[in-house]
Amino acid sequence: MAINSPAGEAALAQLQAIALALPEVSERSSHQTPTFFVREKKVIAQLWDGHHDDHRLAMWCPAPVGAQAELADREPGRFFVPAYVGHRGWIGVDLGVDPDWDEVAQIVREAYRLVAPKALVEQLDGLAQPDGLTA
């Protein structure tokens, strides 16, 4: 995995704690970077440490409609439109700019809600009942 700095290692540990706590999320390298998947299929987050020598430690993830523009316009020093996936509404979060890990966790959970099957979202929200009924 392409983590090139101590800050990248620390960010990876934080992101692992956030993402791997979600139902049926796993981690593996994709495009030579740590990537988190729901049920081994749908990406919820990637960690980039100097993507194509941009010298930025960043997380990329899917975002709800409108969130990318809102965040990138509001705080362009922290949020950006990532290469390759930005046209699909993904958001980039610069983790080298004093990251708010509670905010990062919220962004990752929103990405999860976008791509995870409904049953897993209900499990995340604590709505699933042991007998399979929903509250």
Side-chain angles (χ1 to χ4, degrees), residues 37-48:
F37 295 85
V38 177
R39 290 191 173 165
E40 301 288 330
K41 295 179 184 174
K42 300 278 190 167
V43 175
I44 62 165
Q46 290 186 303
L47 182 64
W48 293 94

Side-chain angles (χ1 to χ4, degrees), residues 56-114:
R56 182 185 291 177
L57 176 61
M59 177 187 72
W60 298 1
C61 65
V65 173
Q68 178 197 75
E70 177 190 338
L71 293 170
D73 288 347
R74 186 181 75 210
E75 292 186 68
R78 292 185 51 225
F79 300 101
F80 62 95
V81 177
Y84 311 114
V85 292
H87 69 281
R88 290 190 275 162
W90 284 41
I91 190 71
V93 181
D94 191 330
L95 299 176
V97 180
D98 192 27
D100 176 342
W101 289 106
D102 290 334
E103 180 181 52
V104 170
Q106 180 180 352
I107 292 168
V108 171
R109 284 191 299 271
E110 283 301 315
Y112 182 89
R113 284 182 171 82
L114 287 174

Side-chain angles (χ1 to χ4, degrees), residues 4-5 7-8 48-58 80 94-97:
N4 305 313
S5 67
W48 293 94
D49 193 358
H51 181 262
H52 291 301
D53 299 320
D54 71 358
H55 305 291
R56 182 185 291 177
L57 176 61
F80 62 95
D94 191 330
L95 299 176
V97 180

